[in-house]
Amino acid sequence: MKYCSVCGKELVDDAVVCPSCGCRVADATSSKEESKILHILIKVFMVLGCVATGASLIALCWTIPMTVSAFRRLDARQPIGVGFKVCTLLFVNLVAGILLLCTDTENYL
Ligand SMILES: [Zn+2]
């Protein structure tokens, strides 16, 4: 015996629509197919999340050394080249790169 998933009324086995509430009676096989597709989508997006996280971790290979180098140069008041500033803007942080470009580090010499 089947029961309506919405209102819980008892249904005949071959019912397509619930006579009580009018909702479509869920077909067990089609809902299984739907959940299979959903499960695949969940897995795909979780793998994409892992790849994106991994890619952002790879960026630490250059963002950390560049940040340490910028800290040292700024503290020691050493000149910072335009190339380094542009690379900071593009590959580390937009705001920090713009601020670096605005600072006149040549006057340190
Ligand atoms: Zn119903």
Side-chain angles (χ1 to χ4, degrees), residues 22-58:
C23 287
R24 193 172 74 93
V25 175
D27 184 4
T29 55
S30 76
S31 68
K32 255 187 188 170
E33 283 299 311
E34 278 175 22
S35 69
K36 250 187 198 174
I37 293 168
L38 266 178
H39 291 181
I40 291 170
L41 278 174
I42 290 166
K43 289 173 186 173
V44 165
F45 278 101
M46 289 191 80
V47 168
L48 285 175
C50 290
V51 170
T53 305
S56 64
L57 287 178
I58 290 168

Side-chain angles (χ1 to χ4, degrees), residues 88-89 92-102:
T88 298
L89 186 151
V92 182
N93 186 280
L94 185 72
V95 175
I98 291 170
L99 290 175
L100 265 180
L101 282 167
C102 292

Side-chain angles (χ1 to χ4, degrees), residues 2-11 18 20-21 23-25:
K2 292 201 301 187
Y3 295 92
C4 175
S5 61
V6 179
C7 69
K9 284 270 170 141
E10 204 172 279
L11 301 168
C18 172
S20 176
C21 69
C23 287
R24 193 172 74 93
V25 175

